[in-house]
Amino acid sequence: MSSTPSWKIKLLYDGQCPLCLREVNFLRRKDNGRGLICFVDVAADDYDPSRHGGVTFRAAMERIHGVLPDGTVLQNVAVFRYVYEVLGMGWVYGITKLPGIGQLADWVYGIWAKYRLQLTGRPDLITLIQNREERQTCSVGDRCRLETSVTDT
């Protein structure tokens, strides 16, 4: 029995981002149940960087990442290029392989990544990190439930 996964890339995405979800849903349809792409929602409270190339929540929220079966971590347009190639649509991002074009595409993507939360009507990254840490702290023991029940009475 082989320990090599069937997926070709883990796509780390923000499951709370409406535009990201639109892209992920499109890619899921193109994957068509083949399992070539392992979709990982970094916004899920149980997201664990140690299981996904060490990519922290903060890093994953700052820009797109992909993790290959050998542990190699891709970022930026390289992720899209790889995902589309795996799904047999490499031509979509093929032009980004040309000298200069790839750097320009990464630069444009960097602008999108920097303003993505604001453009989609979401809180800033610091607020998202704080909210996540609060939820994770509350999931340890019954502390938050006890605090809530004390204040509710």
Side-chain angles (χ1 to χ4, degrees), residues 117-132:
L117 295 171
Q118 181 182 350
L119 292 170
T120 58
R122 312 251 323 278
D124 63 32
L125 184 56
I126 298 300
T127 302
L128 290 175
I129 290 170
Q130 289 171 343
N131 291 344
R132 177 184 179 79

Side-chain angles (χ1 to χ4, degrees), residues 50-122:
S50 68
R51 296 181 59 220
H52 307 292
V55 179
T56 64
F57 173 74
R58 176 186 205 105
M61 291 295 287
E62 287 177 334
R63 51 191 59 245
I64 194 156
H65 288 75
V67 182
L68 303 181
D70 69 0
T72 301
V73 176
L74 304 178
Q75 295 183 67
N76 305 326
V77 175
V79 175
F80 295 108
R81 187 169 42 245
Y82 197 90
V83 166
Y84 277 73
E85 284 175 6
V86 165
L87 295 175
M89 301 182 306
W91 56 270
V92 174
Y93 281 91
I95 194 167
T96 65
K97 293 179 182 179
L98 296 174
I101 303 293
Q103 292 87 341
L104 178 63
D106 278 337
W107 180 78
V108 170
Y109 173 78
I111 292 171
W112 156 251
K114 182 176 180 176
Y115 296 104
R116 173 181 70 85
L117 295 171
Q118 181 182 350
L119 292 170
T120 58
R122 312 251 323 278

Side-chain angles (χ1 to χ4, degrees), residues 4-51:
T4 304
S6 61
W7 49 267
K8 305 296 181 200
I9 185 171
K10 285 184 183 180
L11 178 63
L12 310 184
Y13 72 95
D14 175 4
Q16 299 297 313
C17 171
L19 294 174
C20 304
L21 279 177
R22 179 175 281 203
E23 179 80 6
V24 164
N25 289 334
F26 170 77
L27 294 172
R28 281 182 203 241
R29 285 191 304 276
K30 293 300 181 183
D31 190 30
N32 197 25
R34 294 178 288 173
L36 298 172
I37 312 298
C38 176
F39 297 93
V40 179
D41 182 359
V42 300
D45 285 340
D46 64 350
Y47 174 75
D48 180 358
S50 68
R51 296 181 59 220

